[in-house]
Coordinates of all heavy atoms in Angstrom, one line a residue:
M1 N 34.0 -8.9 6.9 CA 33.0 -7.8 6.5 C 32.4 -8.2 5.1 O 33.2 -8.5 4.2 CB 33.7 -6.5 6.4 CG 34.0 -5.9 7.7 SD 34.7 -4.2 7.5 CE 36.0 -4.3 8.6
Q2 N 31.2 -8.0 5.0 CA 30.5 -8.3 3.8 C 30.5 -7.1 2.8 O 30.3 -6.0 3.2 CB 29.0 -8.6 4.0 CG 28.3 -9.0 2.8 CD 26.8 -9.4 3.1 OE1 26.4 -9.5 4.2 NE2 26.0 -9.5 2.0
T3 N 30.8 -7.4 1.6 CA 30.9 -6.4 0.5 C 29.6 -6.6 -0.4 O 29.3 -7.7 -0.7 CB 32.1 -6.5 -0.4 OG1 33.3 -6.3 0.5 CG2 32.1 -5.5 -1.5
D4 N 29.0 -5.5 -0.7 CA 27.8 -5.5 -1.6 C 28.2 -4.7 -2.8 O 29.0 -3.7 -2.7 CB 26.6 -4.8 -0.9 CG 25.3 -5.2 -1.5 OD1 25.3 -5.9 -2.6 OD2 24.3 -4.8 -1.0
K5 N 27.7 -5.1 -4.0 CA 28.0 -4.5 -5.2 C 26.6 -4.2 -5.9 O 25.7 -5.0 -5.8 CB 28.8 -5.3 -6.1 CG 30.2 -5.6 -5.6 CD 31.0 -6.5 -6.5 CE 32.4 -6.7 -5.9 NZ 33.2 -7.6 -6.8
K6 N 26.5 -3.0 -6.5 CA 25.3 -2.6 -7.1 C 25.5 -1.7 -8.2 O 26.4 -0.8 -8.2 CB 24.4 -2.0 -6.0 CG 22.9 -1.9 -6.4 CD 22.1 -1.5 -5.2 CE 20.6 -1.5 -5.6 NZ 19.8 -1.2 -4.5
L7 N 24.6 -1.7 -9.2 CA 24.5 -0.8 -10.3 C 23.3 0.1 -10.0 O 22.2 -0.4 -9.9 CB 24.4 -1.5 -11.6 CG 24.2 -0.6 -12.8 CD1 25.4 0.2 -13.1 CD2 23.8 -1.4 -14.1
N8 N 23.5 1.4 -9.9 CA 22.4 2.3 -9.5 C 22.3 3.4 -10.6 O 23.3 4.0 -11.0 CB 22.7 3.0 -8.2 CG 22.6 2.1 -7.0 OD1 23.6 1.5 -6.6 ND2 21.4 1.9 -6.5
P9 N 21.0 3.7 -10.9 CA 20.8 4.9 -11.8 C 21.1 6.2 -11.0 O 20.8 6.2 -9.8 CB 19.3 4.8 -12.1 CG 18.9 3.4 -11.8 CD 19.8 3.0 -10.7
I10 N 21.7 7.1 -11.6 CA 21.9 8.4 -11.0 C 21.3 9.5 -11.9 O 21.5 9.5 -13.1 CB 23.5 8.7 -10.9 CG1 24.2 7.7 -10.2 CG2 23.7 10.1 -10.4 CD1 23.9 7.6 -8.7
K11 N 20.5 10.4 -11.3 CA 19.8 11.4 -12.1 C 20.4 12.8 -11.8 O 20.9 13.0 -10.7 CB 18.3 11.5 -11.8 CG 17.5 10.3 -12.2 CD 16.1 10.4 -11.9 CE 15.3 9.2 -12.3 NZ 13.9 9.3 -11.8
G12 N 20.4 13.6 -12.8 CA 20.8 15.0 -12.6 C 22.2 15.4 -13.0 O 22.6 16.5 -12.9
M13 N 22.9 14.4 -13.6 CA 24.3 14.7 -14.1 C 24.2 15.4 -15.5 O 23.4 15.0 -16.3 CB 25.1 13.5 -14.2 CG 25.4 12.8 -12.9 SD 26.5 11.4 -13.0 CE 25.5 10.2 -14.0
H14 N 25.0 16.4 -15.7 CA 25.0 17.1 -17.0 C 26.4 17.1 -17.7 O 26.4 17.4 -18.9 CB 24.5 18.5 -16.8 CG 23.2 18.6 -16.1 ND1 22.0 18.3 -16.8 CD2 22.8 19.0 -14.9 CE1 21.0 18.4 -16.0 NE2 21.4 18.8 -14.8
C15 N 27.4 16.8 -17.0 CA 28.7 16.9 -17.6 C 29.7 15.9 -16.8 O 29.4 15.4 -15.8 CB 29.3 18.3 -17.5 SG 29.5 18.9 -15.8
A16 N 30.9 15.8 -17.4 CA 31.9 15.0 -16.8 C 32.3 15.4 -15.4 O 32.6 14.6 -14.5 CB 33.1 14.9 -17.7
A17 N 32.2 16.7 -15.1 CA 32.6 17.2 -13.8 C 31.6 16.6 -12.8 O 32.0 16.4 -11.6 CB 32.6 18.7 -13.8
C18 N 30.3 16.5 -13.2 CA 29.3 15.9 -12.2 C 29.7 14.5 -11.8 O 29.7 14.2 -10.7 CB 27.9 15.9 -12.9 SG 27.2 17.5 -13.3
S19 N 30.0 13.7 -12.8 CA 30.3 12.3 -12.5 C 31.6 12.2 -11.7 O 31.7 11.4 -10.8 CB 30.4 11.4 -13.8 OG 31.2 12.0 -14.7
S20 N 32.6 13.0 -12.1 CA 33.8 13.0 -11.3 C 33.7 13.4 -9.9 O 34.3 12.9 -9.0 CB 34.8 14.0 -12.0 OG 35.2 13.5 -13.3
R21 N 32.8 14.4 -9.7 CA 32.6 14.9 -8.3 C 31.9 13.7 -7.4 O 32.3 13.5 -6.3 CB 31.7 16.1 -8.3 CG 31.3 16.6 -6.9 CD 31.2 18.1 -6.9 NE 30.8 18.6 -5.7 CZ 31.6 18.8 -4.6 NH1 32.8 18.4 -4.6 NH2 31.1 19.3 -3.5
I22 N 31.0 13.0 -8.0 CA 30.3 11.9 -7.3 C 31.4 10.9 -6.9 O 31.5 10.4 -5.8 CB 29.2 11.3 -8.1 CG1 28.0 12.3 -8.3 CG2 28.7 10.0 -7.5 CD1 27.0 11.9 -9.3
E23 N 32.2 10.5 -7.9 CA 33.3 9.5 -7.7 C 34.2 10.0 -6.6 O 34.6 9.2 -5.7 CB 34.0 9.2 -9.0 CG 33.3 8.5 -10.0 CD 34.1 8.2 -11.3 OE1 35.1 8.9 -11.5 OE2 33.6 7.4 -12.0
K24 N 34.6 11.2 -6.6 CA 35.6 11.7 -5.6 C 35.0 11.7 -4.2 O 35.7 11.3 -3.3 CB 36.0 13.1 -6.0 CG 37.1 13.7 -5.1 CD 37.5 15.1 -5.6 CE 38.5 15.7 -4.7 NZ 39.0 17.0 -5.1
V25 N 33.8 12.2 -4.1 CA 33.2 12.3 -2.8 C 32.9 10.9 -2.2 O 33.2 10.6 -1.0 CB 31.9 13.1 -2.8 CG1 31.1 13.0 -1.6 CG2 32.2 14.6 -3.1
L26 N 32.4 10.0 -3.0 CA 32.1 8.6 -2.5 C 33.3 7.8 -2.2 O 33.4 7.1 -1.3 CB 31.2 7.9 -3.5 CG 29.8 8.5 -3.7 CD1 28.9 7.6 -4.5 CD2 29.1 8.7 -2.3
A27 N 34.3 8.0 -3.0 CA 35.6 7.3 -2.8 C 36.2 7.6 -1.5 O 36.9 6.8 -0.9 CB 36.6 7.5 -4.0
A28 N 35.9 8.8 -1.0 CA 36.5 9.3 0.3 C 35.7 8.7 1.5 O 36.2 8.8 2.6 CB 36.5 10.8 0.4
L29 N 34.5 8.1 1.3 CA 33.7 7.6 2.4 C 34.3 6.3 2.9 O 34.7 5.4 2.1 CB 32.3 7.3 1.9 CG 31.3 8.4 1.7 CD1 30.0 7.9 1.2 CD2 31.1 9.2 2.9
E30 N 34.4 6.2 4.2 CA 34.9 4.9 4.8 C 33.9 3.8 4.4 O 32.7 3.9 4.6 CB 35.0 5.1 6.3 CG 35.5 3.8 7.0 CD 35.6 3.9 8.5 OE1 35.1 4.9 9.0 OE2 36.1 3.0 9.1
G31 N 34.5 2.7 3.9 CA 33.6 1.6 3.6 C 33.4 1.4 2.1 O 33.0 0.3 1.6
V32 N 33.6 2.5 1.3 CA 33.4 2.4 -0.1 C 34.6 1.8 -0.7 O 35.7 2.4 -0.6 CB 33.0 3.8 -0.7 CG1 33.0 3.7 -2.3 CG2 31.7 4.3 -0.2
E33 N 34.5 0.7 -1.4 CA 35.7 0.0 -2.0 C 36.0 0.5 -3.4 O 37.1 0.6 -3.8 CB 35.5 -1.5 -2.0 CG 35.5 -2.1 -0.6 CD 35.3 -3.6 -0.6 OE1 34.9 -4.2 -1.6 OE2 35.8 -4.2 0.4
S34 N 34.9 0.7 -4.2 CA 35.1 1.2 -5.5 C 33.8 1.9 -6.0 O 32.7 1.5 -5.6 CB 35.5 0.1 -6.5 OG 34.4 -0.8 -6.6
V35 N 34.0 2.9 -6.8 CA 32.9 3.6 -7.4 C 33.3 4.1 -8.8 O 34.4 4.5 -9.0 CB 32.5 4.8 -6.6 CG1 33.6 5.8 -6.3 CG2 31.3 5.5 -7.1
A36 N 32.4 3.8 -9.8 CA 32.7 4.2 -11.2 C 31.3 4.8 -11.7 O 30.3 4.0 -11.8 CB 33.1 3.1 -12.0
V37 N 31.3 6.0 -12.1 CA 30.1 6.7 -12.5 C 30.2 6.9 -14.1 O 31.2 7.3 -14.6 CB 29.9 8.1 -11.9 CG1 28.7 8.8 -12.4 CG2 29.8 7.9 -10.3
N38 N 29.2 6.5 -14.8 CA 29.1 6.6 -16.2 C 28.1 7.7 -16.6 O 26.9 7.5 -16.4 CB 28.8 5.3 -16.9 CG 28.9 5.3 -18.4 OD1 28.4 6.3 -19.0 ND2 29.5 4.3 -18.9
L39 N 28.6 8.8 -17.1 CA 27.7 9.9 -17.4 C 26.8 9.6 -18.6 O 25.6 9.9 -18.5 CB 28.6 11.1 -17.8 CG 27.8 12.4 -18.4 CD1 26.9 12.9 -17.3 CD2 28.8 13.4 -18.9
A40 N 27.3 8.9 -19.6 CA 26.5 8.5 -20.8 C 25.3 7.7 -20.4 O 24.2 7.8 -21.0 CB 27.3 7.9 -21.8
T41 N 25.5 6.7 -19.5 CA 24.4 5.8 -19.2 C 23.7 6.2 -17.9 O 22.7 5.6 -17.5 CB 24.9 4.3 -19.0 OG1 25.8 4.3 -18.0 CG2 25.5 3.8 -20.3
E42 N 24.1 7.3 -17.3 CA 23.6 7.8 -16.0 C 23.5 6.7 -14.9 O 22.5 6.5 -14.3 CB 22.3 8.4 -16.2 CG 22.3 9.6 -17.1 CD 21.0 10.3 -17.2 OE1 20.0 9.7 -17.6 OE2 21.0 11.5 -17.0
T43 N 24.6 5.9 -14.8 CA 24.7 4.8 -13.8 C 25.9 4.9 -13.0 O 26.9 5.5 -13.4 CB 24.6 3.4 -14.5 OG1 25.7 3.3 -15.5 CG2 23.3 3.2 -15.2
M44 N 25.9 4.2 -11.9 CA 27.1 4.1 -11.0 C 27.3 2.7 -10.6 O 26.3 2.0 -10.1 CB 26.9 5.0 -9.8 CG 27.9 4.9 -8.7 SD 27.6 5.9 -7.3 CE 26.1 5.1 -6.6
H45 N 28.5 2.1 -10.8 CA 28.8 0.8 -10.2 C 29.5 1.1 -8.9 O 30.4 1.9 -8.8 CB 29.9 0.1 -11.2 CG 29.2 -0.4 -12.4 ND1 28.7 -1.6 -12.5 CD2 29.1 0.2 -13.6 CE1 28.2 -1.8 -13.7 NE2 28.5 -0.7 -14.4
L46 N 29.0 0.5 -7.9 CA 29.4 0.8 -6.5 C 29.7 -0.5 -5.8 O 28.9 -1.5 -5.8 CB 28.4 1.6 -5.8 CG 28.6 2.0 -4.4 CD1 29.7 3.0 -4.3 CD2 27.4 2.6 -3.8
A47 N 30.8 -0.6 -5.0 CA 31.1 -1.7 -4.1 C 31.4 -1.1 -2.8 O 32.2 -0.2 -2.7 CB 32.3 -2.5 -4.6
W48 N 30.8 -1.6 -1.7 CA 31.0 -1.1 -0.4 C 30.8 -2.1 0.7 O 30.2 -3.2 0.5 CB 30.0 0.1 -0.1 CG 28.6 -0.3 0.1 CD1 28.0 -0.4 1.3 CD2 27.6 -0.7 -0.9 NE1 26.6 -0.8 1.2 CE2 26.4 -1.0 -0.2 CE3 27.6 -0.7 -2.2 CZ2 25.2 -1.3 -0.8 CZ3 26.4 -1.1 -2.9 CH2 25.3 -1.4 -2.2
K49 N 31.4 -1.9 1.8 CA 31.4 -2.7 3.0 C 30.1 -2.4 3.8 O 30.0 -1.3 4.3 CB 32.6 -2.6 3.9 CG 33.9 -2.9 3.3 CD 34.1 -4.4 3.4 CE 35.5 -4.6 2.9 NZ 35.7 -6.0 2.6
T50 N 29.2 -3.3 3.8 CA 27.9 -3.1 4.4 C 27.9 -2.8 5.9 O 27.0 -2.2 6.5 CB 26.9 -4.2 4.1 OG1 27.4 -5.4 4.6 CG2 26.6 -4.3 2.6
T51 N 29.0 -3.3 6.5 CA 29.1 -3.1 8.0 C 29.7 -1.7 8.3 O 29.6 -1.2 9.4 CB 30.0 -4.1 8.6 OG1 31.3 -4.1 7.9 CG2 29.4 -5.5 8.5
L52 N 30.2 -1.0 7.3 CA 30.8 0.3 7.5 C 30.0 1.5 7.0 O 30.0 2.6 7.5 CB 32.2 0.4 6.9 CG 33.2 -0.5 7.5 CD1 34.6 -0.4 6.8 CD2 33.5 -0.2 9.0
V53 N 29.2 1.2 6.0 CA 28.4 2.3 5.4 C 27.1 1.7 4.8 O 27.1 0.6 4.2 CB 29.2 3.1 4.3 CG1 29.6 2.2 3.1 CG2 28.5 4.4 3.8
R54 N 26.0 2.4 5.0 CA 24.7 2.0 4.5 C 24.4 2.6 3.1 O 24.9 3.7 2.9 CB 23.6 2.3 5.5 CG 23.7 1.6 6.8 CD 22.7 2.1 7.8 NE 22.5 3.5 7.7 CZ 21.3 4.1 8.0 NH1 20.3 3.5 8.3 NH2 21.2 5.5 7.9
V55 N 23.7 1.9 2.3 CA 23.3 2.5 1.0 C 22.6 3.8 1.1 O 22.7 4.7 0.3 CB 22.6 1.4 0.1 CG1 21.2 1.2 0.6 CG2 22.6 1.8 -1.3
N56 N 21.8 3.9 2.2 CA 21.0 5.2 2.4 C 22.0 6.3 2.7 O 21.7 7.5 2.3 CB 20.0 5.0 3.4 CG 18.8 4.2 3.0 OD1 18.6 4.0 1.8 ND2 18.1 3.6 3.9
D57 N 23.1 6.0 3.4 CA 24.1 7.1 3.6 C 24.7 7.5 2.3 O 25.0 8.7 2.1 CB 25.2 6.6 4.6 CG 24.6 6.2 6.0 OD1 23.6 6.9 6.4 OD2 25.1 5.3 6.6
I58 N 25.0 6.6 1.5 CA 25.6 6.9 0.2 C 24.6 7.7 -0.7 O 25.0 8.7 -1.3 CB 26.0 5.6 -0.6 CG1 27.1 4.9 0.2 CG2 26.4 5.8 -2.0 CD1 27.4 3.5 -0.2
A59 N 23.4 7.3 -0.7 CA 22.3 8.1 -1.4 C 22.2 9.5 -0.9 O 22.0 10.4 -1.6 CB 21.0 7.3 -1.4
G60 N 22.3 9.6 0.5 CA 22.3 10.9 1.1 C 23.4 11.8 0.6 O 23.2 13.0 0.4
R61 N 24.6 11.3 0.6 CA 25.8 12.1 0.1 C 25.6 12.5 -1.3 O 25.9 13.7 -1.7 CB 27.1 11.3 0.2 CG 27.5 11.0 1.6 CD 27.9 12.3 2.3 NE 29.2 12.7 1.7 CZ 29.5 14.0 1.7 NH1 28.8 14.9 2.3 NH2 30.7 14.4 1.2
I62 N 25.0 11.6 -2.2 CA 24.8 12.0 -3.6 C 23.7 13.1 -3.6 O 23.8 14.0 -4.4 CB 24.3 10.7 -4.4 CG1 25.5 9.8 -4.5 CG2 23.7 11.1 -5.7 CD1 25.2 8.5 -5.1
K63 N 22.7 13.0 -2.8 CA 21.7 14.1 -2.8 C 22.2 15.4 -2.3 O 21.9 16.4 -2.9 CB 20.5 13.6 -1.8 CG 19.3 14.6 -1.9 CD 18.2 14.0 -1.1 CE 17.0 15.0 -1.3 NZ 15.8 14.4 -0.7
E64 N 23.2 15.4 -1.3 CA 23.8 16.6 -0.9 C 24.6 17.3 -2.0 O 24.7 18.5 -2.1 CB 24.8 16.3 0.2 CG 24.1 16.0 1.5 CD 25.1 15.5 2.6 OE1 26.3 15.5 2.4 OE2 24.6 15.1 3.7
L65 N 25.1 16.5 -3.0 CA 25.8 17.0 -4.2 C 24.8 17.5 -5.2 O 25.3 18.1 -6.2 CB 26.7 15.9 -4.8 CG 27.8 15.4 -3.9 CD1 28.5 14.2 -4.5 CD2 28.8 16.5 -3.6
G66 N 23.5 17.3 -5.1 CA 22.6 17.8 -6.0 C 22.1 16.8 -7.0 O 21.5 17.1 -8.1
F67 N 22.4 15.5 -6.8 CA 22.0 14.4 -7.7 C 21.0 13.5 -7.0 O 20.8 13.6 -5.8 CB 23.2 13.7 -8.2 CG 24.2 14.6 -8.8 CD1 25.4 14.9 -8.1 CD2 24.0 15.2 -10.0 CE1 26.3 15.8 -8.5 CE2 25.0 16.1 -10.5 CZ 26.1 16.4 -9.8
E68 N 20.5 12.5 -7.7 CA 19.6 11.5 -7.1 C 20.0 10.1 -7.5 O 20.2 9.8 -8.6 CB 18.1 11.8 -7.6 CG 17.1 10.9 -7.0 CD 15.7 11.1 -7.5 OE1 15.5 12.2 -8.0 OE2 14.9 10.2 -7.4
M69 N 20.1 9.2 -6.5 CA 20.4 7.8 -6.7 C 19.2 7.0 -6.4 O 18.6 7.1 -5.3 CB 21.5 7.4 -5.8 CG 21.9 5.9 -5.9 SD 23.3 5.5 -4.9 CE 22.5 4.6 -3.6
N70 N 18.8 6.2 -7.3 CA 17.6 5.3 -7.1 C 18.1 4.1 -6.3 O 19.0 3.3 -6.8 CB 17.1 4.8 -8.5 CG 15.8 4.0 -8.3 OD1 15.6 3.4 -7.3 ND2 15.0 4.0 -9.3
T71 N 17.6 3.8 -5.2 CA 18.0 2.7 -4.3 C 17.1 1.5 -4.4 O 17.2 0.5 -3.7 CB 18.2 3.1 -2.9 OG1 16.9 3.6 -2.4 CG2 19.2 4.2 -2.7
S72 N 16.1 1.6 -5.3 CA 15.1 0.5 -5.4 C 15.8 -0.7 -6.0 O 16.7 -0.6 -6.9 CB 13.9 0.9 -6.3 OG 13.3 2.0 -5.8
S73 N 15.2 -1.9 -5.7 CA 15.7 -3.1 -6.3 C 15.2 -3.3 -7.7 O 14.1 -2.7 -8.0 CB 15.3 -4.3 -5.4 OG 14.0 -4.6 -5.6
P74 N 15.8 -4.1 -8.5 CA 15.2 -4.3 -9.9 C 13.8 -4.8 -9.8 O 13.0 -4.5 -10.7 CB 16.2 -5.3 -10.5 CG 17.5 -5.1 -9.8 CD 17.1 -4.7 -8.4
T75 N 13.5 -5.6 -8.8 CA 12.1 -6.2 -8.7 C 11.1 -5.0 -8.4 O 10.0 -5.0 -9.0 CB 12.0 -7.2 -7.5 OG1 13.0 -8.2 -7.8 CG2 10.6 -7.8 -7.4
E76 N 11.5 -4.1 -7.5 CA 10.6 -3.0 -7.2 C 10.4 -2.1 -8.4 O 9.3 -1.6 -8.6 CB 11.2 -2.2 -6.0 CG 11.2 -2.9 -4.7 CD 12.0 -2.2 -3.6 OE1 13.0 -1.5 -4.0 OE2 11.7 -2.3 -2.5
I77 N 11.5 -1.9 -9.2 CA 11.4 -1.0 -10.4 C 10.4 -1.7 -11.4 O 9.6 -1.0 -11.9 CB 12.8 -0.8 -11.0 CG1 13.6 0.1 -10.0 CG2 12.7 -0.1 -12.3 CD1 15.1 0.2 -10.4
A78 N 10.6 -3.0 -11.6 CA 9.7 -3.7 -12.5 C 8.3 -3.6 -12.1 O 7.4 -3.4 -12.9 CB 10.2 -5.1 -12.7
R79 N 8.0 -3.8 -10.8 CA 6.7 -3.8 -10.2 C 6.1 -2.4 -10.5 O 4.9 -2.3 -10.9 CB 6.7 -4.1 -8.7 CG 5.4 -4.3 -8.1 CD 5.4 -4.8 -6.7 NE 6.2 -6.0 -6.5 CZ 7.2 -6.1 -5.7 NH1 7.6 -5.1 -4.9 NH2 7.9 -7.3 -5.6
S80 N 6.8 -1.3 -10.2 CA 6.3 0.0 -10.4 C 6.0 0.3 -11.9 O 5.0 0.9 -12.2 CB 7.3 1.1 -9.9 OG 7.5 1.0 -8.6
Y81 N 6.9 -0.2 -12.8 CA 6.7 0.0 -14.2 C 5.4 -0.7 -14.6 O 4.6 -0.2 -15.4 CB 7.9 -0.5 -15.0 CG 7.7 -0.5 -16.5 CD1 7.8 0.6 -17.2 CD2 7.4 -1.7 -17.1 CE1 7.6 0.6 -18.6 CE2 7.2 -1.7 -18.5 CZ 7.3 -0.5 -19.2 OH 7.1 -0.5 -20.6
N82 N 5.2 -2.0 -14.2 CA 4.1 -2.8 -14.6 C 2.8 -2.1 -14.1 O 1.8 -2.1 -14.8 CB 4.2 -4.2 -14.0 CG 5.3 -5.0 -14.8 OD1 5.6 -4.7 -15.9 ND2 5.8 -6.0 -14.1
K83 N 2.8 -1.5 -12.9 CA 1.6 -0.9 -12.4 C 1.3 0.4 -13.2 O 0.2 0.7 -13.6 CB 1.8 -0.5 -10.9 CG 0.5 0.2 -10.3 CD 0.7 0.5 -8.9 CE -0.5 1.2 -8.3 NZ -1.5 1.9 -9.1
L84 N 2.4 1.1 -13.5 CA 2.2 2.3 -14.3 C 1.6 2.0 -15.7 O 0.7 2.7 -16.2 CB 3.6 3.0 -14.5 CG 3.6 4.3 -15.4 CD1 2.8 5.4 -14.7 CD2 5.0 4.7 -15.7
M85 N 2.1 0.9 -16.3 CA 1.6 0.5 -17.6 C 0.1 0.1 -17.5 O -0.7 0.4 -18.4 CB 2.5 -0.6 -18.2 CG 3.8 0.0 -18.6 SD 3.8 1.4 -19.8 CE 3.2 0.6 -21.2
A86 N -0.2 -0.7 -16.5 CA -1.6 -1.2 -16.3 C -2.5 0.0 -16.1 O -3.6 0.1 -16.7 CB -1.7 -2.1 -15.1
D87 N -2.1 1.0 -15.3 CA -2.9 2.2 -15.1 C -3.1 3.0 -16.4 O -4.2 3.5 -16.7 CB -2.3 3.1 -14.0 CG -2.4 2.5 -12.6 OD1 -3.1 1.5 -12.5 OD2 -1.7 3.0 -11.8
A88 N -2.0 3.1 -17.2 CA -2.1 3.8 -18.4 C -3.0 3.1 -19.4 O -3.8 3.8 -20.2 CB -0.7 4.0 -19.0
K89 N -3.0 1.8 -19.5 CA -3.9 1.1 -20.4 C -5.4 1.3 -20.1 O -6.2 1.2 -21.0 CB -3.6 -0.4 -20.4 CG -2.3 -0.7 -21.1 CD -2.0 -2.2 -21.0 CE -0.6 -2.4 -21.8 NZ -0.3 -3.8 -21.7
E90 N -5.7 1.6 -18.8 CA -7.1 1.9 -18.4 C -7.5 3.3 -18.8 O -8.7 3.6 -18.9 CB -7.3 1.7 -16.9 CG -7.1 0.2 -16.5 CD -7.3 0.0 -15.0 OE1 -7.7 1.0 -14.3 OE2 -6.9 -1.0 -14.6
N91 N -6.6 4.2 -19.1 CA -6.9 5.5 -19.5 C -7.2 5.6 -21.0 O -6.4 5.1 -21.8 CB -5.7 6.4 -19.2 CG -5.9 7.9 -19.5 OD1 -6.7 8.3 -20.3 ND2 -5.3 8.7 -18.7
P92 N -8.4 6.1 -21.4 CA -8.7 6.1 -22.8 C -7.7 6.8 -23.7 O -7.6 6.5 -24.9 CB -10.1 6.9 -22.8 CG -10.6 6.8 -21.4 CD -9.4 6.7 -20.6
A93 N -7.0 7.8 -23.2 CA -6.0 8.5 -24.0 C -4.8 7.6 -24.4 O -4.1 7.9 -25.3 CB -5.5 9.7 -23.2
F94 N -4.7 6.5 -23.7 CA -3.5 5.6 -24.0 C -4.0 4.2 -24.6 O -3.4 3.2 -24.3 CB -2.7 5.4 -22.7 CG -2.1 6.6 -22.2 CD1 -2.6 7.3 -21.2 CD2 -0.9 7.1 -22.8 CE1 -2.0 8.5 -20.7 CE2 -0.3 8.2 -22.4 CZ -0.9 8.9 -21.3
K95 N -5.1 4.2 -25.4 CA -5.6 3.0 -25.9 C -4.6 2.3 -26.9 O -4.7 1.1 -27.2 CB -6.9 3.2 -26.6 CG -8.0 3.4 -25.7 CD -8.3 2.2 -24.9 CE -9.4 2.4 -23.9 NZ -9.6 1.3 -22.9
F96 N -3.6 3.0 -27.4 CA -2.6 2.4 -28.3 C -1.7 1.5 -27.6 O -0.9 0.7 -28.2 CB -1.8 3.5 -29.0 CG -1.1 4.4 -28.1 CD1 0.2 4.1 -27.7 CD2 -1.7 5.6 -27.6 CE1 0.9 5.0 -26.9 CE2 -1.0 6.4 -26.7 CZ 0.4 6.1 -26.4
L97 N -1.6 1.5 -26.2 CA -0.7 0.6 -25.5 C -1.1 -0.8 -25.5 O -2.2 -1.2 -25.4 CB -0.5 1.1 -24.0 CG 0.1 2.5 -23.9 CD1 0.1 2.9 -22.4 CD2 1.6 2.5 -24.4

């Protein structure tokens, strides 16, 4: 079985109980090997068996808890950021960029 590891941003956490709840719920999922949520950096280190659980299922469980997990790849995030900056530079209100 193939194991995948990923660092994901998590939005919506406000306290240590939030991060603990995510860890507890995900750790109980079949196929999740390890999960560590960092409240200060709003990130989650996750390792899971790709044949047993899909990343979208994990993101769905996090959403059910009231949080949001970004499942985009670093390349997709960079592409979105670059497009946003290019669009902003065309707006006269953002000429300082």
Side-chain angles (χ1 to χ4, degrees):
M1 284 187 225
Q2 182 179 351
T3 298
D4 202 353
K5 295 179 182 179
K6 194 169 185 182
L7 175 68
N8 291 93
I10 303 290
K11 292 182 183 177
M13 297 184 295
H14 303 289
C15 63
C18 295
S19 55
S20 294
R21 179 144 173 79
I22 293 170
E23 287 179 344
K24 183 178 180 180
V25 168
L26 294 186
L29 287 178
E30 181 181 6
V32 172
E33 292 184 338
S34 67
V35 57
V37 178
N38 186 314
L39 174 63
T41 61
E42 296 184 307
T43 57
M44 173 181 66
H45 288 272
L46 181 68
W48 73 99
K49 299 277 188 195
T50 58
T51 55
L52 295 177
V53 64
R54 298 176 316 151
V55 71
N56 289 339
D57 297 332
I58 294 167
R61 291 292 291 152
I62 290 172
K63 188 172 185 172
E64 289 172 5
L65 296 172
F67 309 104
E68 183 181 338
M69 179 177 107
N70 186 336
T71 59
S72 300
S73 72
T75 302
E76 291 168 328
I77 293 169
R79 191 176 301 128
S80 295
Y81 173 79
N82 290 337
K83 182 179 181 338
L84 177 68
M85 291 305 291
D87 291 347
K89 285 181 182 178
E90 292 179 14
N91 185 328
F94 296 101
K95 285 295 180 190
F96 60 90
L97 295 176

